[in-house]
Amino acid sequence: MIRIVCILQVMLLLNAELVLAQYKRETKPWWPTREEILARYEKAKWLDSAAKTAVYYQSVQPVWEENGTGFWFKRTHPDSTVEFLKVDPTKRNRFKAFDHQRLADSLSFVAAKRLTADRLPITVTTVNRTANKIEFSYDQKRWQADLGTYSIEAISLNERFGRRNSNGTGWTRRSHWMSFGTDALSPDKKWKAVVVNNNIQIQSENGEIKKQLTTDGTDTATYGSVAWSPDSRYFIFYRIVPYKDSVIHYIKKAVAGTSRGQHYAIPYKQPGDPFTTYEMMVYRLGEERPKKIQTPIMDFFSAPYLHFSKKSPGKFLFERVDRGHQRFRILEADSETGLARTIYDEQSSTFIYESRIFTDYNLDKEELILSSEKDGWRHLYLLDISSGKIKNPITSGNWIVREIDSIDYKKRQIWFRASGIQPGEDPYYVHHCRIGMDGKNLVVLNPERGHHQVSYSPDGNYFLDTYSEVNKAPVITLRSPVNGKHIMTVEQPDTSRLLQLKLPAPMPFTAKARDGITDIWGVVCWPTDLDSGKQYPVIENIYAGPQDAFVPKSFLPYSEMQSLAALGFVVVQIDGMGTANRSKAFHDVCWKNLADAGFPDRINWIRSLAQSYPWVDTNRVGLYGTSAGGQNALGGLLFHPGFYKAAVSACGCHDNRVDKQWWNEQWMGYPLGKHYEEQSNITNAGKLKGELLLIVGDEDSNVPPESTYRVADALIKQGKHFEMLTIPGMGHSDGGPYGRIRKRDFFVRSLLHLLPPQRN
């Protein structure tokens, strides 16, 4: 705790000095000499190296014991020696997990390579307390060690003594969508539903054909995706009309041993492309023919996961999201009648975030838990399946449920993660909670201010809690999931080397959004050797993808942003409106509106920062980003040229019609409308003002490279000047180490008007 207090004191003193300095002298723009900028390059290079080993003991990666209560973790010391420690919650202490010398001697013998006890290069993956054995990886192989005899043997995956250690959440989320194979064995193992020549046959266990169910299947309209009911009386299958996605093409241009480019292509679904369709059918053993389930043909995603009723085995539930992401339903089908009824129907005038829909089925009680943002915040509800009515909200309030960690139907309790639940702090911080399914007895298990990351023990009796803030070192403790009670401190970070670097700490900052009410949160990295009498250019690290929020919340001792700041820039990162993890209204700003990218909020935020800290120069503002951030970076120059003056755009999805289907239709909607074209960076290329560097990997399979090439083509046709860096063989990336060097050199030229180091 002493180390933590020290770093906080230094940070507070530094920020206090900066605040006081603004009143002492008038600021003026900083225009360094070339000698000054070359010295800063050297300082940044030194910091990049020194900061790698500036903090020790800041994280614990637990390997929980199987058939035990404690966990193991690997501890690396400043001299690069390592030790493996065991934490015993019952004794509230930690100690060496095994005899390091004996294990080193045994492993040296079987691996035919001398290893030392204090530098064991192994990764422990499984600990079985009852068997007193461990599994670990070394030299790209898996090994098993008996800690009684210290005998070691190499093992294959099917020889393992136990299950792979989980992440401790106690919860595994099933996908909503599940396609099945072509050869499905019934649960009682008496029958097989087999796809032969695009048609369905029923075969006995020895392969004898008992019934030919369909005969009209073809390559263009086949049958398949079979799922049996648990009682083996029914099975569901589909008449499938497959759609083969079009491809995007690549040329490998630098293949060793060849003198020609090598062509390859990959399937790639873009917005508006059709999907394979599924028509649901059911067959009951002994009946003459199958029947259709009376529900519209599914033309979005694949065959759904089926949840068979325990009270009425012929009935089953399935989920459906309509294309366009504005309607989500849970339906119940009856195998006897072929009829289907809607259990739950949620519709939105904007979007429903499909990949964050949570459902869990308690079929013994004919109920299910589901998430919804229908009241403006993401919360959990308990639904009665038979009536289709909400029994009760489980969570409520002006905060959101982020994830579900565990569900205990016997105790009627849920463990989950929440953001915004603790008043007076950053609303993105995650806290871990427990609540009754009746919505009562809410307990915040780790209420301490900060962003919390947790690992639960497999038996649910303990959890490891690591919490920190961007400028505050982690606290790592073991706690009780019953009431959050502190059991013991597991680790204490050593930040002494970080303090010696005299780096300004990253600083959280808030300002009002465009509505003048909502708080916008971001972080600032100040230049090293900051002179408060001078004004420094601003560079925004931007990513406005609506799928999440992106400003770091955990301890950030050093980052690329701080390295860039060392050159003499104020580097910021902001979560504007339209990003996730806040209210539904906050998120809805992105709907059919990706070009907005929260820019009004970001610009207000940077201007507010300058009002509080006069050494922030809002006349020299640049931005950089990758992927959606690449789209945003160029968008800043196109749509807000009065504020942003320079941008580095890496592998941007510059036109949402060219990028992947699932991401773009989620936010831009379906069917495609004029707004797709109107918001395209390609369509708006003629508006370019300021300086631009485009970066693209020519083998990007995430965002097709033609997205960047097409915007380059449009810029050329408009007579615009820009720089472009194509990296052969690179996939979806910011340009890698070379691209990052080119990025910082670009900003030195464009915002400081200086030549970077001569690198040739």
Side-chain angles (χ1 to χ4, degrees):
M1 291 302 295
I2 293 175
R3 294 191 186 99
I4 296 172
V5 171
C6 285
I7 192 170
L8 291 178
Q9 289 175 339
V10 170
M11 291 172 179
L12 291 172
L13 286 172
L14 176 61
N15 288 334
E17 288 172 0
L18 293 176
V19 173
L20 291 173
Q22 67 177 296
Y23 301 106
K24 293 182 179 180
R25 47 181 168 167
E26 187 176 341
T27 58
K28 57 183 179 180
W30 178 64
W31 296 104
T33 65
R34 191 158 190 270
E35 289 71 23
E36 286 178 299
I37 200 64
L38 291 179
R40 282 185 173 269
Y41 268 99
E42 289 300 315
K43 178 73 173 291
K45 183 179 179 180
W46 175 79
L47 286 172
D48 289 348
S49 177
K52 290 179 181 178
T53 55
V55 181
Y56 283 87
Y57 318 132
Q58 66 172 319
S59 66
V60 169
Q61 303 299 324
V63 181
W64 293 96
E65 292 178 333
E66 295 180 350
N67 307 314
T69 57
F71 66 87
W72 291 25
F73 71 98
K74 183 178 182 178
R75 195 171 196 246
T76 303
H77 301 294
D79 62 359
S80 297
T81 60
V82 300
E83 61 179 338
F84 294 84
L85 300 179
K86 175 182 174 177
V87 173
D88 187 337
T90 58
K91 297 180 180 178
R92 300 189 179 187
N93 65 356
R94 67 181 197 185
F95 46 86
K96 279 200 173 184
F98 55 85
D99 188 324
H100 289 48
Q101 187 62 58
R102 290 187 67 184
L103 188 65
D105 291 343
S106 296
L107 185 56
S108 297
F109 178 77
V110 297
K113 183 177 180 180
R114 185 59 188 165
L115 302 172
T116 60
D118 60 353
R119 296 178 189 271
L120 276 169
I122 68 173
T123 300
V124 176
T125 56
T126 310
V127 179
N128 189 304
R129 182 178 178 182
T130 302
N132 199 24
K133 293 180 179 180
I134 64 170
E135 284 183 14
F136 61 90
S137 59
Y138 164 67
D139 194 26
Q140 298 183 329
K141 297 179 182 177
R142 297 191 63 79
W143 307 80
Q144 179 177 301
D146 186 318
L147 297 184
T149 62
Y150 282 88
S151 60
I152 295 177
E153 59 180 340
I155 59 172
S156 61
L157 289 177
N158 59 5
E159 292 174 330
R160 300 179 64 255
F161 58 75
R163 61 174 173 77
R164 187 180 300 276
N165 192 69
S166 72
N167 62 6
T169 63
W171 179 253
T172 301
R173 177 72 181 97
R174 278 179 173 165
S175 170
H176 298 282
W177 322 111
M178 183 173 292
S179 292
F180 296 83
T182 59
D183 187 352
L185 183 66
S186 63
D188 63 9
K189 297 181 172 52
K190 293 181 179 179
W191 308 100
K192 286 193 294 186
V194 182
V195 179
V196 178
N197 295 326
N198 300 304
N199 285 288
I200 300 282
Q201 291 179 356
I202 300 295
Q203 298 180 0
S204 63
E205 55 182 340
N206 60 9
E208 180 184 353
I209 298 175
K210 292 296 184 181
K211 191 170 186 61
Q212 185 73 37
L213 280 190
T214 66
T215 57
D216 59 340
T218 67
D219 289 340
T220 57
T222 184
Y223 291 92
S225 292
V226 178
W228 284 89
S229 64
D231 63 2
S232 300
R233 293 173 60 195
Y234 310 88
F235 67 83
I236 313 302
F237 66 101
Y238 299 84
R239 185 176 186 271
I240 303 168
V241 178
Y243 174 76
K244 185 177 181 180
D245 289 327
S246 299
V247 300
I248 51 177
H249 298 270
Y250 298 89
I251 301 292
K252 288 182 177 287
K253 302 175 181 65
V255 181
T258 67
S259 58
R260 301 174 188 268
Q262 306 296 304
H263 172 266
Y264 71 98
I266 63 172
Y268 193 92
K269 190 182 292 295
Q270 292 177 322
D273 285 352
F275 277 77
T276 294
T277 63
Y278 295 82
E279 185 175 13
M280 183 181 285
M281 309 187 76
V282 62
Y283 176 71
R284 177 179 177 177
L285 290 182
E287 289 189 343
E288 182 62 26
R289 60 180 62 89
K291 61 172 66 76
K292 293 180 182 180
I293 297 295
Q294 300 305 305
T295 184
I297 293 174
M298 300 170 189
D299 60 355
F300 192 44
F301 295 141
S302 61
Y305 192 93
L306 308 181
H307 305 267
F308 284 89
S309 171
K310 292 188 176 181
K311 292 184 177 179
S312 304
K315 294 182 179 181
F316 59 91
L317 301 166
F318 62 97
E319 300 173 11
R320 179 168 185 156
V321 174
D322 286 4
R323 191 164 188 178
H325 298 272
Q326 293 185 285
R327 189 181 190 187
F328 168 65
R329 281 173 286 174
I330 301 173
L331 298 100
E332 181 185 68
D334 189 330
S335 300
E336 294 287 343
T337 64
L339 299 177
R341 69 183 181 107
T342 298
I343 298 296
Y344 178 80
D345 191 343
E346 182 173 344
Q347 300 181 49
S348 172
S349 60
T350 56
F351 62 87
I352 295 172
Y353 193 173
E354 181 273 327
S355 64
R356 288 198 180 178
I357 295 171
F358 176 86
T359 54
D360 188 66
Y361 295 77
N362 181 11
L363 299 175
D364 289 326
K365 294 287 187 178
E366 288 287 303
E367 64 186 7
L368 65 88
I369 296 167
L370 62 87
S371 66
S372 173
E373 292 183 285
K374 62 182 182 179
D375 77 342
W377 304 83
R378 187 177 189 239
H379 283 297
L380 300 177
Y381 297 84
L382 187 64
L383 180 78
D384 179 74
I385 291 174
S386 59
S387 68
K389 295 181 179 179
I390 298 292
K391 286 185 174 182
N392 59 264
I394 298 173
T395 61
S396 60
N398 293 347
W399 49 272
I400 67 166
V401 173
R402 291 283 291 267
E403 299 285 348
I404 285 74
D405 285 324
S406 185
I407 298 175
D408 188 328
Y409 283 106
K410 291 183 178 180
K411 294 182 179 179
R412 308 288 290 175
Q413 293 178 332
I414 303 174
W415 284 259
F416 65 95
R417 304 172 212 176
S419 284
I421 196 168
Q422 291 293 92
E425 68 171 27
D426 187 325
Y428 295 91
Y429 286 166
V430 168
H431 293 270
H432 295 73
C433 311
R434 190 191 69 247
I435 196 169
M437 289 183 190
D438 58 1
K440 299 177 181 178
N441 301 315
L442 173 65
V443 178
V444 180
L445 299 171
N446 44 16
E448 293 83 359
R449 180 185 180 91
H451 185 66
H452 293 253
Q453 295 171 300
V454 156
S455 174
Y456 289 93
S457 64
D459 60 11
N461 290 326
Y462 304 96
F463 69 91
L464 182 71
D465 182 28
T466 301
Y467 63 96
S468 65
E469 298 182 71
V470 69
N471 55 4
K472 296 181 182 179
V475 178
I476 306 172
T477 63
L478 194 65
R479 313 176 75 141
S480 165
V482 176
N483 51 21
K485 181 180 179 181
H486 176 272
I487 295 171
M488 62 177 288
T489 298
V490 174
E491 188 62 282
Q492 291 184 323
D494 180 354
T495 59
S496 57
R497 292 163 186 78
L498 180 64
L499 295 176
Q500 292 172 7
L501 298 181
K502 298 182 179 179
L503 283 170
M507 186 188 78
F509 185 77
T510 59
K512 294 302 178 184
R514 68 191 77 180
D515 60 6
I517 301 172
T518 306
D519 283 335
I520 299 295
W521 290 76
V523 66
V524 187
C525 290
W526 298 114
T528 53
D529 306 316
L530 184 147
D531 183 340
S532 58
K534 297 177 180 177
Q535 290 182 323
Y536 296 85
V538 180
I539 298 175
E540 180 182 354
N541 173 11
I542 188 170
Y543 190 98
Q547 74 269 21
D548 213 330
F550 306 97
V551 174
K553 300 302 173 183
S554 298
F555 184 49
L556 191 69
Y558 195 73
S559 66
E560 188 203 3
M561 290 192 296
Q562 188 60 61
S563 177
L564 194 55
L567 295 181
F569 300 106
V570 176
V571 184
V572 304
Q573 189 173 3
I574 308 156
D575 282 321
M577 281 188 164
T579 50
N581 302 334
R582 298 285 291 274
S583 69
K584 184 70 165 69
F586 190 100
H587 203 184
D588 276 347
V589 171
C590 75
W591 175 238
K592 296 186 177 182
N593 191 32
L594 289 184
D596 177 277
F599 277 122
D601 314 307
R602 298 169 187 278
I603 293 169
N604 286 349
W605 190 96
I606 293 172
R607 285 175 172 160
S608 296
L609 183 70
Q611 290 176 357
S612 299
Y613 303 96
W615 49 87
V616 175
D617 188 350
T618 58
N619 293 314
R620 292 181 290 169
V621 182
L623 71 172
Y624 70 91
T626 301
S627 193
Q631 177 184 15
N632 307 144
L634 176 52
L637 297 186
L638 299 180
F639 304 117
H640 302 276
F643 188 75
Y644 294 104
K645 302 300 189 292
V648 177
S649 167
C651 59
C653 38
H654 296 291
D655 188 310
N656 299 106
R657 296 168 295 184
V658 177
D659 193 26
K660 64 195 78 62
Q661 177 277 330
W662 66 266
W663 192 88
N664 292 274
E665 286 189 15
Q666 170 70 78
W667 315 116
M668 292 290 278
Y670 175 85
L672 279 63
K674 286 184 63 178
H675 60 290
Y676 273 84
E677 180 181 0
E678 291 167 350
Q679 298 182 46
S680 164
N681 287 349
I682 299 170
T683 305
N684 291 282
K687 297 178 181 178
L688 177 66
K689 293 183 179 180
E691 299 185 52
L692 170 66
L693 169 60
L694 296 173
I695 299 175
V696 64
D698 70 353
E699 294 186 36
D700 188 345
S701 60
N702 186 324
V703 178
E706 49 258 49
S707 181
T708 297
Y709 286 113
R710 289 186 182 206
V711 83
D713 179 60
L715 290 167
I716 291 169
K717 289 176 178 176
Q718 292 287 338
K720 299 295 181 179
H721 287 214
F722 63 98
E723 299 178 39
M724 184 167 177
L725 171 63
T726 299
I727 302 181
M730 180 166 279
H732 196 61
S733 168
D734 64 351
Y738 182 73
R740 288 189 283 274
I741 290 172
R742 290 288 298 271
K743 174 170 61 184
R744 62 180 55 205
D745 288 355
F746 171 84
F747 283 127
V748 165
R749 289 197 311 273
S750 59
L751 297 180
L752 296 176
H753 300 170
L754 287 172
L755 290 175
Q758 173 54 257
R759 301 188 186 278
N760 293 344

PDB file of all heavy atoms in Angstrom, residues 543 626-628 650-653 659-660 697 699-704 730-735:
ATOM      1  N   TYR A 543     -11.584   5.799 -31.767  1.00  0.00           N
ATOM      2  CA  TYR A 543     -12.295   4.607 -32.212  1.00  0.00           C
ATOM      3  C   TYR A 543     -13.726   4.767 -31.732  1.00  0.00           C
ATOM      4  O   TYR A 543     -13.987   4.685 -30.525  1.00  0.00           O
ATOM      5  CB  TYR A 543     -11.680   3.313 -31.673  1.00  0.00           C
ATOM      6  CG  TYR A 543     -12.279   2.084 -32.325  1.00  0.00           C
ATOM      7  CD1 TYR A 543     -11.634   1.453 -33.381  1.00  0.00           C
ATOM      8  CD2 TYR A 543     -13.496   1.566 -31.909  1.00  0.00           C
ATOM      9  CE1 TYR A 543     -12.188   0.336 -34.009  1.00  0.00           C
ATOM     10  CE2 TYR A 543     -14.065   0.469 -32.533  1.00  0.00           C
ATOM     11  CZ  TYR A 543     -13.406  -0.146 -33.576  1.00  0.00           C
ATOM     12  OH  TYR A 543     -13.967  -1.238 -34.196  1.00  0.00           O
ATOM     13  N   THR A 626      -7.779   3.097 -36.269  1.00  0.00           N
ATOM     14  CA  THR A 626      -7.669   1.875 -37.056  1.00  0.00           C
ATOM     15  C   THR A 626      -9.044   1.246 -37.202  1.00  0.00           C
ATOM     16  O   THR A 626      -9.844   1.247 -36.267  1.00  0.00           O
ATOM     17  CB  THR A 626      -6.708   0.887 -36.366  1.00  0.00           C
ATOM     18  OG1 THR A 626      -5.427   1.496 -36.231  1.00  0.00           O
ATOM     19  CG2 THR A 626      -6.575  -0.406 -37.154  1.00  0.00           C
ATOM     20  N   SER A 627      -9.335   0.689 -38.378  1.00  0.00           N
ATOM     21  CA  SER A 627     -10.592  -0.001 -38.651  1.00  0.00           C
ATOM     22  C   SER A 627     -11.745   1.007 -38.606  1.00  0.00           C
ATOM     23  O   SER A 627     -11.738   1.974 -39.361  1.00  0.00           O
ATOM     24  CB  SER A 627     -10.776  -1.151 -37.669  1.00  0.00           C
ATOM     25  OG  SER A 627     -11.819  -2.001 -38.083  1.00  0.00           O
ATOM     26  N   ALA A 628     -12.729   0.830 -37.714  1.00  0.00           N
ATOM     27  CA  ALA A 628     -13.749   1.871 -37.565  1.00  0.00           C
ATOM     28  C   ALA A 628     -13.085   3.185 -37.177  1.00  0.00           C
ATOM     29  O   ALA A 628     -13.530   4.263 -37.591  1.00  0.00           O
ATOM     30  CB  ALA A 628     -14.776   1.463 -36.523  1.00  0.00           C
ATOM     31  N   ALA A 650      -5.906   4.148 -40.639  1.00  0.00           N
ATOM     32  CA  ALA A 650      -5.404   2.804 -40.940  1.00  0.00           C
ATOM     33  C   ALA A 650      -6.565   1.850 -41.215  1.00  0.00           C
ATOM     34  O   ALA A 650      -7.511   1.779 -40.428  1.00  0.00           O
ATOM     35  CB  ALA A 650      -4.542   2.289 -39.795  1.00  0.00           C
ATOM     36  N   CYS A 651      -6.480   1.141 -42.308  1.00  0.00           N
ATOM     37  CA  CYS A 651      -7.438   0.109 -42.754  1.00  0.00           C
ATOM     38  C   CYS A 651      -8.883   0.461 -42.405  1.00  0.00           C
ATOM     39  O   CYS A 651      -9.616  -0.329 -41.822  1.00  0.00           O
ATOM     40  CB  CYS A 651      -7.056  -1.270 -42.225  1.00  0.00           C
ATOM     41  SG  CYS A 651      -6.948  -1.447 -40.456  1.00  0.00           S
ATOM     42  N   GLY A 652      -9.279   1.666 -42.770  1.00  0.00           N
ATOM     43  CA  GLY A 652     -10.606   2.148 -42.425  1.00  0.00           C
ATOM     44  C   GLY A 652     -11.708   1.501 -43.237  1.00  0.00           C
ATOM     45  O   GLY A 652     -11.530   1.161 -44.403  1.00  0.00           O
ATOM     46  N   CYS A 653     -12.880   1.332 -42.605  1.00  0.00           N
ATOM     47  CA  CYS A 653     -14.067   0.888 -43.340  1.00  0.00           C
ATOM     48  C   CYS A 653     -14.758   2.154 -43.857  1.00  0.00           C
ATOM     49  O   CYS A 653     -15.735   2.618 -43.288  1.00  0.00           O
ATOM     50  CB  CYS A 653     -14.988   0.044 -42.457  1.00  0.00           C
ATOM     51  SG  CYS A 653     -15.152   0.564 -40.746  1.00  0.00           S
ATOM     52  N   ASP A 659     -17.806  -2.902 -46.226  1.00  0.00           N
ATOM     53  CA  ASP A 659     -17.357  -3.638 -45.044  1.00  0.00           C
ATOM     54  C   ASP A 659     -18.282  -4.825 -44.769  1.00  0.00           C
ATOM     55  O   ASP A 659     -19.259  -5.062 -45.466  1.00  0.00           O
ATOM     56  CB  ASP A 659     -17.315  -2.665 -43.860  1.00  0.00           C
ATOM     57  CG  ASP A 659     -16.587  -3.219 -42.653  1.00  0.00           C
ATOM     58  OD1 ASP A 659     -15.713  -4.088 -42.826  1.00  0.00           O
ATOM     59  OD2 ASP A 659     -16.904  -2.791 -41.530  1.00  0.00           O
ATOM     60  N   LYS A 660     -17.980  -5.554 -43.704  1.00  0.00           N
ATOM     61  CA  LYS A 660     -18.666  -6.796 -43.353  1.00  0.00           C
ATOM     62  C   LYS A 660     -20.150  -6.570 -43.033  1.00  0.00           C
ATOM     63  O   LYS A 660     -20.524  -5.539 -42.436  1.00  0.00           O
ATOM     64  CB  LYS A 660     -17.956  -7.476 -42.177  1.00  0.00           C
ATOM     65  CG  LYS A 660     -17.998  -6.667 -40.886  1.00  0.00           C
ATOM     66  CD  LYS A 660     -17.012  -7.164 -39.867  1.00  0.00           C
ATOM     67  CE  LYS A 660     -15.613  -6.709 -40.152  1.00  0.00           C
ATOM     68  NZ  LYS A 660     -15.424  -5.230 -40.118  1.00  0.00           N
ATOM     69  N   GLY A 697      -3.052  -2.694 -44.977  1.00  0.00           N
ATOM     70  CA  GLY A 697      -2.394  -3.954 -45.252  1.00  0.00           C
ATOM     71  C   GLY A 697      -3.076  -4.592 -46.445  1.00  0.00           C
ATOM     72  O   GLY A 697      -4.311  -4.687 -46.480  1.00  0.00           O
ATOM     73  N   GLU A 699      -3.462  -7.513 -47.380  1.00  0.00           N
ATOM     74  CA  GLU A 699      -4.132  -8.800 -47.180  1.00  0.00           C
ATOM     75  C   GLU A 699      -5.108  -8.740 -45.996  1.00  0.00           C
ATOM     76  O   GLU A 699      -5.305  -9.713 -45.281  1.00  0.00           O
ATOM     77  CB  GLU A 699      -3.102  -9.915 -46.997  1.00  0.00           C
ATOM     78  CG  GLU A 699      -2.277 -10.177 -48.253  1.00  0.00           C
ATOM     79  CD  GLU A 699      -1.365 -11.375 -48.131  1.00  0.00           C
ATOM     80  OE1 GLU A 699      -1.763 -12.367 -47.492  1.00  0.00           O
ATOM     81  OE2 GLU A 699      -0.249 -11.321 -48.671  1.00  0.00           O
ATOM     82  N   ASP A 700      -5.714  -7.586 -45.816  1.00  0.00           N
ATOM     83  CA  ASP A 700      -6.687  -7.386 -44.739  1.00  0.00           C
ATOM     84  C   ASP A 700      -7.954  -8.181 -45.050  1.00  0.00           C
ATOM     85  O   ASP A 700      -8.639  -7.906 -46.031  1.00  0.00           O
ATOM     86  CB  ASP A 700      -7.004  -5.903 -44.616  1.00  0.00           C
ATOM     87  CG  ASP A 700      -7.855  -5.569 -43.407  1.00  0.00           C
ATOM     88  OD1 ASP A 700      -8.447  -6.496 -42.823  1.00  0.00           O
ATOM     89  OD2 ASP A 700      -7.927  -4.385 -43.043  1.00  0.00           O
ATOM     90  N   SER A 701      -8.270  -9.177 -44.217  1.00  0.00           N
ATOM     91  CA  SER A 701      -9.468  -9.989 -44.418  1.00  0.00           C
ATOM     92  C   SER A 701     -10.623  -9.533 -43.534  1.00  0.00           C
ATOM     93  O   SER A 701     -11.722 -10.079 -43.607  1.00  0.00           O
ATOM     94  CB  SER A 701      -9.161 -11.464 -44.140  1.00  0.00           C
ATOM     95  OG  SER A 701      -8.713 -11.636 -42.802  1.00  0.00           O
ATOM     96  N   ASN A 702     -10.396  -8.522 -42.690  1.00  0.00           N
ATOM     97  CA  ASN A 702     -11.450  -7.979 -41.840  1.00  0.00           C
ATOM     98  C   ASN A 702     -12.191  -6.868 -42.583  1.00  0.00           C
ATOM     99  O   ASN A 702     -13.401  -6.937 -42.806  1.00  0.00           O
ATOM    100  CB  ASN A 702     -10.831  -7.464 -40.534  1.00  0.00           C
ATOM    101  CG  ASN A 702     -11.868  -7.016 -39.537  1.00  0.00           C
ATOM    102  OD1 ASN A 702     -12.898  -6.472 -39.897  1.00  0.00           O
ATOM    103  ND2 ASN A 702     -11.602  -7.228 -38.262  1.00  0.00           N
ATOM    104  N   VAL A 703     -11.464  -5.839 -42.948  1.00  0.00           N
ATOM    105  CA  VAL A 703     -12.001  -4.776 -43.794  1.00  0.00           C
ATOM    106  C   VAL A 703     -11.285  -4.875 -45.132  1.00  0.00           C
ATOM    107  O   VAL A 703     -10.068  -4.699 -45.191  1.00  0.00           O
ATOM    108  CB  VAL A 703     -11.776  -3.387 -43.175  1.00  0.00           C
ATOM    109  CG1 VAL A 703     -12.299  -2.308 -44.115  1.00  0.00           C
ATOM    110  CG2 VAL A 703     -12.464  -3.287 -41.820  1.00  0.00           C
ATOM    111  N   PRO A 704     -11.988  -5.175 -46.216  1.00  0.00           N
ATOM    112  CA  PRO A 704     -11.306  -5.384 -47.493  1.00  0.00           C
ATOM    113  C   PRO A 704     -10.416  -4.195 -47.858  1.00  0.00           C
ATOM    114  O   PRO A 704     -10.829  -3.039 -47.707  1.00  0.00           O
ATOM    115  CB  PRO A 704     -12.462  -5.536 -48.492  1.00  0.00           C
ATOM    116  CG  PRO A 704     -13.608  -6.007 -47.664  1.00  0.00           C
ATOM    117  CD  PRO A 704     -13.446  -5.352 -46.333  1.00  0.00           C
ATOM    118  N   MET A 730       0.419  -7.672 -44.974  1.00  0.00           N
ATOM    119  CA  MET A 730      -0.148  -7.351 -43.656  1.00  0.00           C
ATOM    120  C   MET A 730      -1.663  -7.453 -43.695  1.00  0.00           C
ATOM    121  O   MET A 730      -2.303  -7.104 -44.690  1.00  0.00           O
ATOM    122  CB  MET A 730       0.275  -5.962 -43.214  1.00  0.00           C
ATOM    123  CG  MET A 730      -0.284  -5.559 -41.848  1.00  0.00           C
ATOM    124  SD  MET A 730       0.522  -4.114 -41.125  1.00  0.00           S
ATOM    125  CE  MET A 730       1.987  -4.889 -40.449  1.00  0.00           C
ATOM    126  N   GLY A 731      -2.233  -7.951 -42.606  1.00  0.00           N
ATOM    127  CA  GLY A 731      -3.674  -8.043 -42.469  1.00  0.00           C
ATOM    128  C   GLY A 731      -4.257  -6.800 -41.833  1.00  0.00           C
ATOM    129  O   GLY A 731      -3.810  -5.678 -42.078  1.00  0.00           O
ATOM    130  N   HIS A 732      -5.263  -6.997 -40.988  1.00  0.00           N
ATOM    131  CA  HIS A 732      -5.983  -5.883 -40.353  1.00  0.00           C
ATOM    132  C   HIS A 732      -5.107  -5.320 -39.238  1.00  0.00           C
ATOM    133  O   HIS A 732      -4.903  -5.963 -38.203  1.00  0.00           O
ATOM    134  CB  HIS A 732      -7.305  -6.402 -39.796  1.00  0.00           C
ATOM    135  CG  HIS A 732      -8.288  -5.324 -39.475  1.00  0.00           C
ATOM    136  ND1 HIS A 732      -8.783  -4.460 -40.422  1.00  0.00           N
ATOM    137  CD2 HIS A 732      -8.884  -4.972 -38.302  1.00  0.00           C
ATOM    138  CE1 HIS A 732      -9.647  -3.635 -39.863  1.00  0.00           C
ATOM    139  NE2 HIS A 732      -9.719  -3.926 -38.582  1.00  0.00           N
ATOM    140  N   SER A 733      -4.601  -4.121 -39.411  1.00  0.00           N
ATOM    141  CA  SER A 733      -3.581  -3.627 -38.493  1.00  0.00           C
ATOM    142  C   SER A 733      -3.468  -2.115 -38.592  1.00  0.00           C
ATOM    143  O   SER A 733      -3.914  -1.500 -39.568  1.00  0.00           O
ATOM    144  CB  SER A 733      -2.225  -4.272 -38.828  1.00  0.00           C
ATOM    145  OG  SER A 733      -1.164  -3.640 -38.152  1.00  0.00           O
ATOM    146  N   ASP A 734      -2.856  -1.522 -37.571  1.00  0.00           N
ATOM    147  CA  ASP A 734      -2.548  -0.090 -37.620  1.00  0.00           C
ATOM    148  C   ASP A 734      -1.284   0.200 -38.416  1.00  0.00           C
ATOM    149  O   ASP A 734      -0.858   1.344 -38.521  1.00  0.00           O
ATOM    150  CB  ASP A 734      -2.413   0.478 -36.212  1.00  0.00           C
ATOM    151  CG  ASP A 734      -1.241  -0.115 -35.446  1.00  0.00           C
ATOM    152  OD1 ASP A 734      -0.635  -1.091 -35.926  1.00  0.00           O
ATOM    153  OD2 ASP A 734      -0.935   0.399 -34.352  1.00  0.00           O
ATOM    154  N   GLY A 735      -0.696  -0.845 -38.989  1.00  0.00           N
ATOM    155  CA  GLY A 735       0.541  -0.693 -39.739  1.00  0.00           C
ATOM    156  C   GLY A 735       1.713  -1.342 -39.049  1.00  0.00           C
ATOM    157  O   GLY A 735       2.814  -1.381 -39.613  1.00  0.00           O
TER     158      GLY A 735
END
